[in-house]
Amino acid sequence: MITTLPAFEGPVCPVPLNHLDQIVMGHGSGGRMTTDLIRTIFQPHFSNPALNEGNDFASLPVPAFENNSGQLILSIDSHVVKPIFFPGGDIGRLSICGTVNDIAVSGAKPLYITAGFILEEGFQIENLEKIIQSMEEAANEAGVQIVAGDTKVVEKGGCDQVFITTTGVGWLNSGVRIGGQYARPGDVVIVSGPVGDHGIAILAARGELGLDTEVKSDTAPLNNLIDAILEAAPHTHVLRDPTRGGLATTLNEIAGQSKVSILLEEDSIPINPNTRSACEILGFDPLYIANEGKVIVITPEKEAEAALTAMRQNMYGKDAAIIGRVIISNPGKVMVKTSIGGTRLLDMLAGEMLPRIC
Amino acid sequence: MITTLPAFEGPVCPVPLNHLDQIVMGHGSGGRMTTDLIRTIFQPHFSNPALNEGNDFASLPVPAFENNSGQLILSIDSHVVKPIFFPGGDIGRLSICGTVNDIAVSGAKPLYITAGFILEEGFQIENLEKIIQSMEEAANEAGVQIVAGDTKVVEKGGCDQVFITTTGVGWLNSGVRIGGQYARPGDVVIVSGPVGDHGIAILAARGELGLDTEVKSDTAPLNNLIDAILEAAPHTHVLRDPTRGGLATTLNEIAGQSKVSILLEEDSIPINPNTRSACEILGFDPLYIANEGKVIVITPEKEAEAALTAMRQNMYGKDAAIIGRVIISNPGKVMVKTSIGGTRLLDMLAGEMLPRIC
């Protein structure tokens, strides 16, 4: 536990990590070396009253609410992305944004994050610090606090550099009903921008593409964008971030939960030219490629234009587009009208397409 | 996310995992194989309304409270214990108990758990199911719900079988003030039973001891024991579970937080004979060995006997003992009066003693 440690007393004076530049097993012992690691690397970036109290738990207020009618929102994601640094982000930024977005798509305000680190012996402390800094920046951008943490170390070869598991805690005011089960025939389907960038950026960063590409991951916290959507379109039925499995798999999940069909217009789906080329060369369908900074919005027709306008005014929604509609026929299925006028079934992703993408 | 999946519809009918008995990369894709894994392995054990809704988040009530004055309690732990099955428990039981205990020592009622799984390609699904079953049993014993989950798969050699990160969420009624910073001179220090069993059981299970021992891990959820303690001794100042670093390191943390000294009576500290022998042979001090089912109680003298009596009536506290007192001299230090009448300093654990103990 980061929070297992004695409160940070006296003047802020970084303790040298015994002049080590790599993680050693002792950093995970729960003893003095763990304390030193946390004081020098974690606390300067994650400092807040709950964390600094030095207990095994964080004690936190919930927002004031009336009639005991709000709800707690929880979400968890483990992050094993490879490589840990990639164009547009790193495992630290990803671990905050992924969890913030899972909370925000419920319509809740993300408040707190807990973070568990599994580190490989020999991992460069300099790289750990970069990751922690990214987490701090993403948390600040999203307006969430990192309130509890834990660090474990496994021997060389026991894991791949660093894994980060984050749980997000949010607060949902009463009366908000957003979820994959609420899509209704007639609703309009909007996506906040071009799809497939994250997956392609990761593959390219691995050097497995066999081609150079300038595609950057879209990793971003979307809670501010979502606030704007809900202000403009308060009767929105579904918000969801199309991560693993991409747009196609996420829409299949929603179609299944709501027992409706979704009909997309292929030509309306925004895809960056570089991502499209990479997909064409590799034989991938960009609709199945993971995103980490996009949100699907399913909203009644009468609020769709307002939602779209609001999204386009936000840096993370400037390329938002209406991409389809919810229909009655073929419940549970997602169909796409192709450019040449045909219609094809867009099934769920079956097996593994891109491993360790997040 | 476990909760990313379409709600579990229709009659409960386990989907065959394509006749696989091992984890493959596709189980972490977020697509159909992930869905199948969750439906067949996770949902039968973790089923509850929040999880079954099939969103990326769990939506949960908080207990009714007055004047907006309760607090949310959060704690996180990553579990990398090796081996994953050991006498007295497994990584599943450990992952629930460790987190339940971190919440309970705040004085809060543990309510919800989120669980992130990192699985190695090739991991036996039969073993995963055993672990899930242990988690279910421990959660039932503690009275907590597992409300959100996530599964990632890394390639063979990318991690060591299975890592589980759990976050616990609890609710603290207003007026409860328990924490490592509240120990006061004159307080009595109690431990709920013999120390060092967990660490020795893990080492023995690795076959690294070079000797046979019957020591079993003490892994247990302590929230019911803690309820009994707080009923008997409502002015208790500190509760803490002495995990990594053992009794000695945990008491050092408390002494540092509260700026007091703690003086122990060596002869009063309960240690199982088998654990003591194993430690003597190996040259370990049992006071530095991890526990996973013990709690340290620091309470005003006038409530100490009541606390002890209440503890001894609980199965997890039947060997509870008063082991020392909080004193003024040497703030931040832990001292122990030895059997032969001397006094020695009990410092914090410096480096790594037993790696991957939890």
Side-chain angles (χ1 to χ4, degrees), chain A residues 27 40 97 99 115 117 132 135 146 185 199 205 210 221 252 280 284 294 335 337 341 343:
Chain A
H27 287 131
T40 53
C97 296
T99 293
F117 295 82
I132 300 294
M135 292 177 76
I146 299 165
N252 266 282
E280 276 168 8
F284 288 154
K294 294 297 175 306
M335 321 288 293
K337 254 197 244 174
T343 302

Side-chain angles (χ1 to χ4, degrees), chain A residues 86-353:
Chain A
F86 47 83
D90 59 33
I91 191 171
R93 179 169 173 83
L94 188 64
S95 71
I96 298 298
C97 296
T99 293
V100 161
N101 294 346
D102 281 339
I103 297 292
V105 296
S106 73
K109 180 178 168 56
L111 299 171
Y112 307 120
I113 301 268
T114 65
F117 295 82
I118 299 173
L119 303 173
E120 185 184 13
E121 182 185 20
F123 186 60
Q124 292 294 322
I125 289 175
E126 188 186 349
N127 285 338
L128 179 61
E129 204 159 10
K130 278 186 206 158
I131 289 166
I132 300 294
Q133 172 130 15
S134 287
M135 292 177 76
E136 179 188 21
E137 286 165 8
N140 286 345
E141 185 182 346
V144 295
Q145 283 185 296
I146 299 165
V147 295
D150 182 52
T151 309
K152 293 292 183 330
V153 179
V154 296
E155 64 284 2
K156 188 115 191 130
C159 80
D160 192 359
Q161 298 195 77
V162 54
F163 300 150
I164 305 175
T165 301
T166 43
T167 286
V169 179
W171 187 257
L172 185 67
N173 284 318
S174 54
V176 181
R177 284 169 64 88
I178 291 169
Q181 67 272 47
Y182 299 126
R184 290 293 165 263
D187 283 357
V188 171
V189 181
I190 308 174
V191 70
S192 61
V195 298
D197 291 354
H198 176 73
I200 294 300
I202 296 294
L203 272 198
R206 282 186 203 154
E208 288 175 7
L209 273 184
L211 84 168
D212 261 351
T213 173
E214 289 174 7
V215 177
K216 278 189 184 173
S217 167
D218 56 347
T219 306
L222 299 176
N223 53 323
N224 295 324
L225 172 64
I226 287 171
D227 283 350
I229 294 168
L230 292 180
E231 198 172 314
H235 297 95
T236 291
H237 290 146
V238 184
L239 295 167
R240 189 167 292 176
D241 50 333
T243 52
R244 281 185 294 179
L247 183 72
T249 301
T250 305
L251 289 175
N252 266 282
E253 289 168 12
I254 296 167
Q257 281 181 271
S258 292
K259 301 185 181 66
V260 295
S261 179
I262 293 171
L263 181 63
L264 302 179
E265 298 276 347
E266 189 165 49
D267 289 345
S268 329
I269 302 169
I271 299 167
N272 278 328
N274 285 335
T275 298
R276 191 187 294 279
S277 324
C279 283
E280 276 168 8
I281 292 167
L282 296 164
F284 288 154
D285 183 339
L287 305 188
Y288 289 90
I289 306 284
N291 309 278
E292 290 291 344
K294 294 297 175 306
V295 61
I296 297 167
V297 183
I298 302 185
T299 194
E301 183 168 17
K302 65 180 189 317
E303 295 187 353
E305 278 303 326
L308 192 65
T309 305
M311 290 168 83
R312 287 183 172 161
Q313 284 164 9
N314 184 291
M315 66 182 287
Y316 295 131
K318 63 185 168 50
D319 299 315
I322 292 175
I323 59 169
R325 290 194 170 257
V326 179
I327 58 173
I328 299 177
S329 62
N330 299 315
K333 303 289 182 197
V334 180
M335 321 288 293
V336 60
K337 254 197 244 174
T338 61
S339 349
I340 53 164
T343 302
R344 66 181 168 105
L345 182 69
L346 214 56
D347 205 354
M348 252 182 133
L349 178 65
E352 174 70 7
M353 196 160 165

Side-chain angles (χ1 to χ4, degrees), chain B residues 310-326:
Chain B
M311 291 169 83
R312 287 183 173 162
Q313 285 165 9
N314 184 291
M315 64 182 287
Y316 296 130
K318 63 185 169 50
D319 299 316
I322 292 175
I323 59 169
R325 289 194 171 257
V326 179

